[in-house]
C-alpha cells in the first residue's frame, strides 16, 4: 500500500471512530452536568471538602473558586518538585527553582510546557503524584468553565451559573477517570510500558552505553492525551517507543486527543435545547481541523526530494502522514504532545502548526477551552453579522450588547497581545535571542512558536529553542498564567452577563445560527481575525523562510 493510501486510510479510520462516539459521549457529558443525583464517591469528596453540592454560585464566586483552586495547585506542585530530592523514589531527579515554578504553572494551566527532560528532571513520585494528578484536574477545570458559559447561554433571568466544585468533581470522576482507565489499558496492550523498574545501563549497537528508564507510563500517557495535556514522561514525548511504540498506538493517541473536544459540541447542543447549534460548532471545529491537517500534510509530503523525502525529525515507524496528522491535531488542541520534531518541519509545515495554535486552539481546542473559545468566536461572528445586515446581534435569544462584546473582545485579545509583545521583546533581548538555534526568519519562528505555545496553553515547542533559563522560564510561566486565567475570568463574567438576560423568542428578524451559511461565516471570521492579527509576523517568519 502506498504512503498516500495508508495515510488517507488512517485519517478515515480516525474520523469514523470519532463519529461513532460523538453522540453517545456528548450525550453522556450533558447528562453528567445536569444529573440531580450525586454518586457515593462524590458525596464523600464533598463531605471531606465541606462543599454543599446543592448550592449554586454567581459568576464572581465561581471565578474565585477556579483561580483559587488553581493557585493552590501551583503552590503544592512547586513544593513537591522542589523537594523531590529528599522524597522517596528520587533517583537523582532535580530542577532549578525557576524551572520548577515554570513546570508547576505549566501543568496546572493545562499547558505542560517542559523545559526539562522528563526522565531526568522529575522522579516517579512527582510524575505520578504531582503531574498526573494535574493532568486530571486541569482539563476538568476547563470543562467546568465551558459548562458554566453554556449554562449562561441556556438559562434565563438568573444569577447562578452552577457550582464549580460539583462540576470539577463530576468532570474528573465521571468523564476523565473512566475514559483514561480504558485508554491506559488499550495503550498497555499496544506495548506502552507500566512499571517501576530501576534504571538499567545497556550497551548500544555502536558499543556505547545508554541508561534505560522505566516508569508508570501507560497511565500517564492516556490522561496526557485525553485531557489535552501533552507533557511527556520521556524527553522525546510521544516519539519515544516506550510512550508510543507502534502505528496503532499512534492512532489511539490521536483519537484520545480529539475525542472529548469533538464530542463537546453535542453536549452544547443538548444543554441549550437545540442540537442544530451543536452541529454548527462541530462543523466549525471540523472544518478548521481538516484544513490544518491538509495544509501540514501537503507541506511535509512536498517538503523535500531524495530518498528520505520529508522524514527529517520524524520517526520511521510512523512516516510523514501520521506525523503530520499528529502535529496538526496536537497544535489544534491544547495538548502539546509531539511524535516528531516540529523544529525539523519544512517552513510551511512549521508555519502551519504555528498557525493552528494562533487560531486560538479551537480546531477543536482543549478539553473545555476549545468549546468556550469557539463560543467566543461565535458571539463575535453574530456581532459582525448583525452590523452587516442591520439586526440586533443575538445568540440563542441572548442579546450581544456592549458589555457582552467587550468581554468577548478582551478574552480574544489576551493571547495575541501576549504572543506579539513577548516575541517582540525576545527578538531584541539578548537573554532570549542567545537561546535561538537559528537566526533570521527561522529564529523568529522559534521564539514566536514558544510564546504562542505558552499563551495558548499548548506546550509543544521548536526544540532548537533552549528555553531553560531564568528569563524564559519566568516569562513563559507568566504567559501561561495570563493566557489561561484572564480569558477564564472574562468568560465567566460573560456567562454571568448572559444568564441575567431573559431569553427572547425567535422572530423574523432573528439571525439563524444553525445554518451552513452561518457556519461558513463562523470559519471565515476565525481565519480572517487570525490572519489580520498575525500575518505581518508570519510573513517575517515561516513565509519568508519558505520563499528564501
Amino acid at each position: 500500500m502506498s504512503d498516500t493510501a495508508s495515510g488517507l486510510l488512517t485519517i478515515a479510520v480516525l474520523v469514523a471512530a470519532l463519529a461513532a462516539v460523538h453522540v453517545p459521549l456528548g450525550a453522556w457529558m450533558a447528562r453528567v452536568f445536569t444529573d440531580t443525583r450525586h454518586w457515593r464517591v462524590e458525596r464523600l469528596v464533598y463531605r471531606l471538602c465541606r462543599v454543599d453540592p446543592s448550592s449554586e454560585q454567581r459568576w464572581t464566586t465561581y471565578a474565585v473558586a477556579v483561580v483559587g483552586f488553581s493557585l493552590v495547585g501551583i503552590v503544592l506542585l512547586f513544593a513537591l518538585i522542589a523537594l523531590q530530592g529528599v522524597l522517596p523514589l528520587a533517583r537523582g531527579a532535580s530542577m532549578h527553582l525557576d524551572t520548577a515554578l515554570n513546570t508547576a504553572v505549566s501543568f496546572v494551566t493545562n499547558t505542560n510546557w517542559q523545559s526539562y527532560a522528563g526522565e531526568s528532571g522529575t522522579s516517579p513520585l512527582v510524575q505520578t503524584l504531582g503531574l498526573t494528578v494535574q493532568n486530571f484536574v486541569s482539563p476538568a477545570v476547563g470543562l467546568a468553565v465551558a459548562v458554566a458559559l453554556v449554562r449562561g447561554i441556556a438559562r434565563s433571568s438568573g444569577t447562578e451559573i452552577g457550582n464549580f466544585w460539583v462540576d470539577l468533581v463530576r468532570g474528573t470522576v465521571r468523564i476523565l477517570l473512566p475514559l483514561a482507565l480504558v485508554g491506559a489499558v488499550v495503550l498497555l496492550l499496544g506495548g506502552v510500558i507500566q512499571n517501576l523498574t530501576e534504571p538499567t545501563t545497556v550497551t548500544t549497537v555502536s558499543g556505547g552505553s545508554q541508561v534505560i528508564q522505566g516508569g508508570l507510563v501507560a497511565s500517564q500517557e492516556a490522561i496526557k492525551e485525553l485531557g489535552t495535556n501533552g507533557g511527556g514522561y520521556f524527553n522525546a514525548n510521544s516519539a519515544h517507543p516506550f510512550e508510543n511504540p507502534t502505528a496503532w498506538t499512534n492512532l489511539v493517541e490521536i483519537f484520545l486527543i480529539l475525542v472529548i473536544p469533538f464530542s463537546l459540541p453535542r453536549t452544547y447542543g443538548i444543554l441549550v435545547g437545540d442540537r442544530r447549534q451543536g452541529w454548527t460548532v462541530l462543523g466549525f471545529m471540523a472544518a478548521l481541523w481538516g484544513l490544518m491537517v491538509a495544509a501540514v500534510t501537503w507541506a511535509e509530503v512536498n517538503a523535500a526530494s531524495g530518498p528520505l523525502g520529508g522524514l527529517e525529525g520524524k520517526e520511521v515507524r510512523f512516516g510523514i502522514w501520521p506525523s503530520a496528522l499528529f502535529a496538526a491535531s496536537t497544535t489544534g488542541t491544547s495538548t502539546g504532545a509531539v511524535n516528531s520534531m516540529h523544529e525539523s518541519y519544512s517552513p510551511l509545515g512549521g508555519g502551519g502548526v504555528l498557525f493552528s495554535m494562533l487560531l486560538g486552539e479551537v480546531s477543536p481546542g482543549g478539553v473545555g477551552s476549545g468549546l468556550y473559545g469557539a463560543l467566543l468566536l461565535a458571539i463575535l461572528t453574530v456581532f459582525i453579522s448583525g452590523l452587516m445586515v442591520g439586526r440586533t446581534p443575538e445568540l440563542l435569544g441572548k442579546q450581544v450588547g456592549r458589555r457582552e462584546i467587550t468581554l468577548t473582545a478582551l478574552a480574544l485579545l489576551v493571547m495575541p497581545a501576549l504572543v506579539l509583545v513577548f516575541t517582540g521583546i525576545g527578538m531584541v533581548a539578548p537573554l532570549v535571542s542567545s537561546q535561538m538555534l537559528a537566526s533570521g526568519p527561522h529564529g523568529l519562528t522559534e521564539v514566536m512558536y514558544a510564546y504562542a505555545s505558552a499563551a495558548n496553553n499548548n506546550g509543544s515547542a521548536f526544540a532548537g529553542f533552549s528555553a531553560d533559563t531564568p528569563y524564559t522560564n519566568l516569562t513563559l510561566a507568566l504567559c501561561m498564567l495570563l493566557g489561561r486565567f484572564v480569558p477564564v475570568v472574562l468568560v465567566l463574567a460573560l456567562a454571568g452577563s448572559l444568564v441575567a438576560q431573559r431569553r427572547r423568542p425567535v422572530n423574523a428578524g432573528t439571525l439563524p445560527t444553525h445554518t451552513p451559511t452561518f457556519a461558513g461565516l463562523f470559519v471565515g471570521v476565525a481565519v480572517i481575525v487570525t490572519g489580520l492579527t498575525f500575518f505581518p509576523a508570519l510573513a517575517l517568519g515561516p513565509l519568508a523562510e519558505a520563499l528564501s
Side-chain angles (χ1 to χ4, degrees):
M1 184 181 295
S2 68
D3 289 344
T4 300
S6 175
L8 291 173
L9 180 60
T10 299
I11 294 173
V13 171
L14 174 64
V15 171
L18 292 170
V21 301
H22 172 76
V23 171
L25 180 56
W28 169 249
M29 290 190 288
R31 181 178 175 183
V32 164
F33 292 108
T34 54
D35 192 1
T36 57
R37 297 172 300 171
H38 304 288
W39 289 3
R40 185 175 301 175
V41 65
E42 295 170 349
R43 291 197 298 270
L44 176 61
V45 174
Y46 301 145
R47 191 175 300 115
L48 291 174
C49 298
R50 298 185 178 182
V51 170
D52 179 8
S54 62
S55 65
E56 291 208 345
Q57 300 167 328
R58 300 169 64 93
W59 80 263
T60 49
T61 308
Y62 203 104
V64 168
V66 170
V67 176
F69 174 77
S70 300
L71 291 179
V72 170
I74 291 172
V75 172
L76 293 177
L77 183 54
F78 173 75
L80 183 64
I81 296 171
L83 297 173
Q84 64 180 324
V86 298
L87 296 174
L89 298 173
R91 296 183 179 178
S94 64
M95 282 190 201
H96 294 295
L97 290 181
D98 55 286
T99 308
L101 178 61
N102 179 283
T103 303
V105 171
S106 174
F107 277 79
V108 171
T109 58
N110 199 231
T111 309
N112 290 37
W113 173 276
Q114 293 175 290
S115 296
Y116 63 95
E119 59 265 50
S120 60
T122 50
S123 67
L125 181 67
V126 171
Q127 292 268 20
T128 305
L129 186 60
L131 306 188
T132 302
V133 168
Q134 286 301 326
N135 280 348
F136 278 98
V137 297
S138 64
V141 168
L143 196 56
V145 173
V147 171
L149 177 59
V150 174
R151 290 194 188 107
I153 297 171
R155 294 181 178 181
S156 180
S157 299
T159 57
E160 291 84 19
I161 57 173
N163 185 313
F164 168 69
W165 306 110
V166 173
D167 293 339
L168 176 71
V169 171
R170 287 188 175 187
T172 304
V173 171
R174 301 194 192 186
I175 298 171
L176 294 170
L177 271 170
L179 292 178
L181 177 61
V182 174
V185 171
V186 172
L187 291 175
L188 192 60
L189 293 174
V192 179
I193 67 169
Q194 181 83 354
N195 59 52
L196 282 173
T197 303
E198 290 290 333
T200 304
T201 302
V202 299
T203 303
T204 64
V205 176
S206 61
S209 62
Q210 181 178 357
V211 177
I212 302 298
Q213 294 268 16
L216 301 174
V217 179
S219 55
Q220 181 164 319
E221 193 73 12
I223 189 58
K224 155 192 154 181
E225 312 293 20
L226 181 70
T228 58
N229 295 286
Y233 201 99
F234 298 99
N235 190 39
N237 209 286
S238 289
H240 198 291
F242 286 177
E243 288 195 30
N244 190 10
T246 66
W248 161 248
T249 57
N250 190 64
L251 180 59
V252 170
E253 291 189 15
I254 299 173
F255 173 80
L256 290 174
I257 290 170
L258 298 172
V259 64
I260 292 179
F262 267 135
S263 297
L264 278 172
R266 180 72 176 186
T267 306
Y268 167 64
I270 293 173
L271 292 179
V272 299
D274 186 353
R275 296 180 182 179
R276 297 174 301 177
Q277 304 295 329
W279 291 118
T280 300
V281 175
L282 176 63
F284 165 79
M285 292 177 171
L288 291 177
W289 176 77
L291 286 171
M292 297 318 302
V293 168
V296 175
T297 303
W298 174 85
E300 292 308 293
V301 168
N302 294 278
S305 58
L308 295 181
L311 275 174
E312 180 187 346
K314 302 176 181 66
E315 292 294 304
V316 175
R317 69 182 184 277
F318 300 141
I320 296 175
W321 280 74
S323 298
L325 175 61
F326 198 106
S329 298
T330 195
T331 52
T333 59
S334 62
T335 309
V338 295
N339 74 346
S340 56
M341 299 300 104
H342 296 180
E343 173 86 30
S344 298
Y345 275 40
S346 66
L348 291 179
V353 293
L354 172 59
F355 187 80
S356 189
M357 287 192 296
L358 296 177
L359 284 169
E361 303 288 25
V362 291
S363 57
V367 172
S369 60
L371 179 60
Y372 68 68
L375 292 178
L376 289 174
L377 285 169
I379 291 171
L380 179 62
T381 304
V382 165
F383 183 77
I384 293 173
S385 302
L387 293 179
M388 290 193 297
V389 299
R391 296 180 179 178
T392 301
E394 290 182 9
L395 178 66
L396 293 174
K398 298 297 182 75
Q399 182 175 342
V400 181
R402 182 176 65 180
R403 175 176 170 79
E404 289 76 23
I405 195 59
T406 299
L407 292 170
T408 299
L410 289 174
L412 291 173
L413 285 172
V414 171
M415 180 272 291
L418 291 172
V419 174
L420 295 175
V421 168
F422 279 100
T423 299
I425 294 173
M427 293 308 295
V428 297
L431 289 172
V432 177
S433 58
S434 62
Q435 305 304 310
M436 292 159 35
L437 176 67
S439 59
H442 194 78
L444 170 61
T445 306
E446 285 181 353
V447 176
M448 187 175 180
Y449 193 104
Y451 286 105
S453 180
N456 280 290
N457 302 132
N458 181 274
S460 64
F462 268 30
F465 181 63
S466 301
D468 193 15
T469 66
Y471 177 82
T472 51
N473 276 328
L474 295 177
T475 55
L476 289 169
L478 180 62
C479 282
M480 293 180 226
L481 275 173
L482 297 178
R484 174 74 162 181
F485 295 115
V486 173
V488 160
V489 171
L490 292 169
V491 165
L492 292 173
L494 177 62
S497 179
L498 292 172
V499 77
Q501 295 186 32
R502 184 180 299 277
R503 202 165 181 177
R504 300 183 178 189
V506 176
N507 55 53
T510 301
L511 176 70
T513 55
H514 60 271
T515 62
T517 301
F518 181 81
L521 186 60
F522 196 180
V523 173
V525 166
V527 174
I528 291 171
V529 168
T530 303
L532 291 175
T533 304
F534 293 106
F535 180 77
L538 292 172
L540 294 172
L543 294 179
E545 185 182 1
L547 294 172
S548 62

